[in-house]
Amino acid sequence: MRVSPFSSFFAVVYQAFNAIKKPASAVMGYGLPVLVVAICATAVEFDEYQHVVAKINEAARRDSQVYANLIMERLDTRFTELDMALAALRGSENRLDPPLSPQVEMSLRHYLLSRPAYSTFNVLGADGESIQWSTSDQKKTRDEPLRDFSPVPKMPYHFLGPVHYSETLGTVVLSMRVREKDSGSAGYFLGSPYRISRFLDEQELPPDYRNRDFTVIDTRSGQSLTQLLHMQGQVHPPLSARQEMVVLAPVPGYPFVVQTPVSSSRVWHTYTQQAPARWSAEVLLLVLLLLFSEFLIRRRDHEQMAHLRRLTAFNTFMAQASQCASQANDEAGLLQEICDMAIRYTHFKIALIARPDEAQWFQMLGPVST
């Protein structure tokens, strides 16, 4: 039998449509798993990066707090020694107003100079400014104003002064004073400068902690004591790498804070060290998803081709049946030919033509073809 032009045209159009649609469906089939893996991997990597940032910052905060605690211990020790020196002075003579007897002055000098951590002691009057006696040979009669000193919250008889350059000592110092307790308005002060180079010394820290770029800030003035120390030594402050953030650790009980920058290079180095195993798992997941997508795409294409073949065969059958009906001379021959074509073109297992009668029983109109 000749195939009708209409059925051939329909088959060609349907095949062309599927040929155009196939690349788009393939892109969607492969693009979806890639998109899913990309979104999941991005979320995982972002979370992991934030975890590394938090971990690095916590380590920096811990190291900074260790340094801050060391500074606190040094200040506590200084004030304790000043308290002991003040108690010794008070025990030697109840009145320290000049002129002091040579024996008392010799005793004071011998005691105070025996403290290796100090180089200068000043005994001040009740106003906290007038110098009554000093271990140095300075000629001035007044020290720094008491209004420039702030009391230590946990010890109201302890005072911290400003950080400044001392011409007598030739270095940057932190002024410290203690006041005689329970003395009313007739008491006196004992003051001594604390060298910043010793105050900020990091040598007592464990070696791992010295890799940090610590900066000690005076919260009263916002002044960087570390920068002052570098400027005094005519050394340029170390240049920090680009900062991801800065962690702060307060010095307990004192108006100082340790500031430590966390560089992005440190974060990125730690992040990339842990990344290969994670990236391998993500690539493996992507490959598995692509293989599964390939399987689904091939299966869908196979089903679509089978459906197309069935649809083409059915349309061919319908076209041939219409052509036979237009050329048929007898009904029996037409029905037989239609059943045969149904088996040939549509691959039916069995084909027959029947219609229900008045009793709703099917009456065979044409022979059965198998």
Side-chain angles (χ1 to χ4, degrees), residues 330-340 350-355 362-370:
D330 64 290
E331 182 179 355
L334 174 62
L335 297 179
Q336 177 64 55
E337 190 171 1
I338 289 176
C339 290
D340 293 340
I350 187 172
L352 58 89
I353 299 176
R355 68 182 176 188
F362 283 98
Q363 299 296 326
M364 304 294 295
L365 300 181
V368 178
S369 297
T370 57

Side-chain angles (χ1 to χ4, degrees), residues 252-273:
Y254 294 98
F256 302 104
V257 64
V258 176
Q259 176 179 290
T260 307
V262 178
S263 64
S264 58
S265 59
R266 180 189 289 262
V267 175
W268 182 253
H269 177 70
T270 304
Y271 168 76
T272 53
Q273 275 187 328

Side-chain angles (χ1 to χ4, degrees), residues 40-55 271 278:
C40 294
T42 301
V44 169
E45 294 303 317
F46 178 79
D47 181 72
E48 185 63 25
Y49 185 82
Q50 293 301 317
H51 174 71
V52 171
V53 170
K55 183 178 178 181
Y271 168 76
R278 191 172 60 254

Side-chain angles (χ1 to χ4, degrees), residues 17-144:
F17 175 75
N18 279 275
I20 296 174
K21 189 174 68 173
K22 184 175 180 181
S25 63
V27 170
M28 290 298 296
Y30 291 118
L32 183 60
V34 172
L35 180 62
V36 170
V37 172
I39 293 175
C40 294
T42 301
V44 169
E45 294 303 317
F46 178 79
D47 181 72
E48 185 63 25
Y49 185 82
Q50 293 301 317
H51 174 71
V52 171
V53 170
K55 183 178 178 181
I56 294 296
N57 289 338
E58 184 59 32
R61 188 175 292 107
R62 179 201 61 211
D63 295 352
S64 302
Q65 196 60 58
V66 170
Y67 186 40
N69 292 341
L70 177 62
I71 293 175
M72 177 198 68
E73 293 171 2
R74 288 171 177 170
L75 291 173
D76 286 346
T77 301
R78 292 294 187 182
F79 276 122
T80 299
E81 292 179 350
L82 282 173
D83 283 334
M84 294 174 61
L86 187 64
L89 294 179
R90 186 178 182 183
S92 64
E93 184 175 290
N94 288 330
R95 182 177 177 82
L96 291 175
D97 295 334
L100 299 178
S101 64
Q103 294 81 5
V104 173
E105 183 172 346
M106 183 177 298
S107 177
L108 287 175
R109 187 177 297 276
H110 181 270
Y111 175 78
L112 295 177
L113 293 180
S114 68
R115 318 303 295 174
Y118 295 89
S119 56
T120 301
F121 279 93
N122 292 326
V123 178
L124 308 171
D127 60 358
E129 298 180 14
S130 58
I131 299 177
Q132 306 298 313
W133 184 85
S134 177
T135 56
S136 68
D137 296 330
Q138 59 183 347
K139 300 184 182 302
K140 65 178 183 177
T141 59
R142 302 193 70 82
D143 206 341
E144 299 169 76

